[in-house]
Amino acid sequence: MFIPRRCGLCVEHCPNWMYPNQLSILAENEIYDTIEDEWDLWDCIECGICAYVCPAHRPIIHFIKQAKAIVDNM
Ligand code: SF4
């Protein structure tokens, strides 16, 4: 089965209408100013659904938690 790089399943399932795919990519690349100002980092309730549904098993919730910890200490 072909799974595109950004399938969007996490976006479909996020209960808070967020973009976990974008959040995780920005966090992974340490782009913290954008993740806070433009992608509403703090709206994430850390439910973990995005990571659960990810067919690529990306540790999305790990990236989000890490970004919150870093931004909180900036
Ligand atoms: S952990 Fe955050 S980004 Fe992921 S599905 Fe839950 S609210 Fe959305």
Side-chain angles (χ1 to χ4, degrees):
M1 183 173 78
F2 172 73
I3 299 174
R5 184 160 173 252
R6 294 182 185 172
C7 65
L9 271 180
C10 55
V11 178
E12 283 180 34
H13 287 82
C14 176
N16 238 7
W17 305 99
M18 300 182 72
Y19 291 83
N21 50 356
Q22 296 295 342
L23 288 167
S24 67
I25 289 169
L26 290 168
E28 194 174 11
N29 290 286
E30 302 178 0
I31 307 174
Y32 299 117
D33 52 341
T34 304
I35 198 172
E36 186 177 23
D37 297 340
E38 298 176 25
W39 295 95
D40 302 321
L41 172 67
W42 297 104
D43 287 351
C44 172
I45 58 174
E46 300 181 15
C47 66
I49 292 173
C50 50
Y52 182 78
V53 300
C54 179
H57 306 292
R58 282 179 52 76
I60 300 173
I61 188 66
H62 165 77
F63 287 131
I64 292 173
K65 285 182 176 180
Q66 187 176 46
K68 283 182 174 180
I70 291 170
V71 168
D72 204 23
N73 287 308
M74 288 176 92

